[in-house]
Amino acid sequence: NKLLLTNDAGTHDQRTFSIAYERASGNGLVVFRKGSSATVFFRTWNGSAWSGEQSLATGLTGRPRYIKLVSKPSTNEIMLVVLDHNNDLVASIWNGASWGNTLILETDCSTATMECFDASYESSSGRCLIAWAQAGNNQPLHRIWTGGAWLNAASAPSV
């Protein structure tokens, strides 16, 4: 089933959408930007039909420029990370039915014109590590989602 998410993703040289699948159910999740809105929009796919459009309150102050979804193995959990044009970085966790534990990770990323962050789940612990570049800092920062709580931000070794 084809679906037009938006006729204005705002830009062609950044990633203003992402798609991931829940590993337990197989349901899909697409997150996207519309025009100049700071709101993050999403829809789910149950294998035969798309849900109606919904939005997620992230606390972003600017237009999303880079959106990334990362699926946690063997579960329905999906990590969302979004960088906006004001250098804000936010994360939120999809549990298979709703969003939660939304957190602004950074308000001064090193750039908003390139993807200066990444996220991945650890295969043995199931924790999610998010790393990013902060303006004026040679040491990348990172934060870990344990599956139940956010650990404090910490610095990686200087690069």
Side-chain angles (χ1 to χ4, degrees):
N1 291 346
K2 291 191 303 183
L3 174 69
L4 177 63
L5 297 173
T6 178
N7 60 5
D8 182 5
T11 182
H12 65 278
D13 60 348
Q14 289 132 22
R15 189 170 14 87
T16 57
F17 70 95
S18 188
I19 300 170
Y21 286 91
E22 298 169 357
R23 300 299 174 119
S25 73
N27 290 341
L29 176 66
V30 61
V31 178
F32 55 98
R33 166 184 163 179
K34 288 174 59 176
S36 61
S37 175
T39 302
V40 173
F41 297 91
F42 69 96
R43 289 179 181 250
T44 58
W45 170 257
N46 66 10
S48 59
W50 288 101
S51 71
E53 181 179 284
Q54 299 174 66
S55 62
L56 166 64
T58 61
L60 291 173
T61 63
R63 299 177 306 273
R65 286 203 165 171
Y66 292 93
I67 298 173
K68 184 168 192 160
L69 290 172
V70 181
S71 298
K72 181 177 181 178
S74 304
T75 73
N76 289 334
E77 184 174 297
I78 299 175
M79 179 64 69
L80 167 68
V81 187
V82 182
L83 175 67
D84 76 7
H85 84 280
N86 289 336
N87 299 19
D88 299 328
L89 186 68
V90 68
S92 191
I93 296 98
W94 175 258
N95 66 10
S98 63
W99 295 100
N101 297 289
T102 302
L103 180 69
I104 295 176
L105 300 169
E106 182 65 60
T107 58
D108 195 19
C109 283
S110 64
T111 182
T113 59
M114 293 184 284
E115 189 171 7
C116 63
F117 70 90
D118 208 350
S120 183
Y121 279 92
E122 299 172 336
S123 60
S124 60
S125 72
R127 302 181 319 167
C128 187
L129 173 74
I130 302 173
W132 68 92
Q134 182 185 53
N137 189 349
N138 290 334
Q139 293 178 270
L141 297 177
H142 68 278
R143 196 142 186 180
I144 293 174
W145 168 251
T146 66
W150 287 103
L151 298 182
N152 290 333
S155 295
S158 183
V159 290

